Amino acid sequence: SNYYPIVSEQLVHQGQYVGLPLMYDGLVLFYNEDILNTASETPPTTWSQLRTLAVKLTVPSASGIQRGGLAIGNATNVEHFSDILATLILQNGGNLTDASSVETRDALLFYTNFQLTDKVWNETLPSSTVAFARGDVAMMFAPSWRAHEIKALNPDLKFATAPMPQLSE
């Protein structure tokens, strides 16, 4: 009862537990507290809210992006892009083994539109973790253990985490 249901599905053989998980490594939304406070915003709970906020927090420059709103939209410099995309596909009702489904296609389009249409992130910025630690992006998705790396890169950065956004109605 202390573990996710997947434990009883995958770690039980012939009625006996054969293993226990050491950790759960799910994604969370990391956000820069100072940037959100300055914008009088709170962490989003839906993907729609996240997209709107990412656009609002992006600071464009003559050469592209001075500060990204959210590290998302490509596979070049977004760490954990495959986990983010898989989350979008699964939340949208897609099947990870059927890349041709409408749900999978829509999730991929939504993911890439952050860069292609909304222009909240691009490949000229450093990796998502480095950019976040430097204040070059307001938000990013990552597993909780990235907090140690962020603190090592910038001990003075005020950041927090929030649960992954969900689909809105």
Side-chain angles (χ1 to χ4, degrees):
S1 65
N2 290 335
Y3 294 100
Y4 288 94
I6 196 74
V7 172
S8 61
E9 295 169 17
Q10 293 188 345
L11 297 177
V12 173
H13 180 69
Q14 298 179 346
Q16 297 292 315
Y17 285 98
V18 294
L20 291 174
L22 294 177
M23 66 177 162
Y24 173 73
D25 200 15
L27 296 176
V28 295
L29 176 67
F30 281 78
Y31 63 92
N32 183 309
E33 291 181 287
D34 289 337
I35 293 173
L36 263 68
N37 288 339
T38 299
S40 299
E41 293 287 350
T42 58
T45 58
T46 68
W47 286 100
S48 177
Q49 292 169 352
L50 177 70
R51 189 171 182 185
T52 300
L53 182 59
V55 170
K56 179 179 180 178
L57 298 178
T58 300
V59 178
S61 71
S63 61
I65 298 175
Q66 180 179 336
R67 181 186 71 212
L70 175 66
I72 193 170
N74 70 38
T76 307
N77 57 349
V78 176
E79 293 158 318
H80 312 288
F81 76 89
S82 60
D83 298 323
I84 300 164
L85 189 53
T87 299
L88 277 168
I89 291 169
L90 293 173
Q91 282 188 7
N92 201 41
N95 182 333
L96 296 176
T97 62
D98 183 8
S100 64
S101 75
V102 172
E103 295 83 5
T104 301
R105 187 199 71 221
D106 288 350
L108 182 58
L109 183 63
F110 184 80
Y111 178 86
T112 56
N113 274 342
F114 278 95
Q115 179 173 323
L116 299 175
T117 304
D118 301 336
K119 303 195 183 313
V120 302
W121 182 255
N122 67 34
E123 68 282 345
T124 65
L125 294 164
S127 71
S128 50
T129 303
V130 170
F132 185 78
R134 290 184 356 187
D136 292 340
V137 68
M139 300 177 288
M140 73 168 193
F141 294 112
S144 60
W145 58 263
R146 284 279 184 195
H148 301 292
E149 185 177 353
I150 294 164
K151 277 294 186 196
L153 290 168
N154 184 354
D156 298 324
L157 182 70
K158 288 193 266 179
F159 67 92
T161 62
M164 285 295 288
Q166 301 297 307
L167 291 179
S168 55
E169 296 300 321

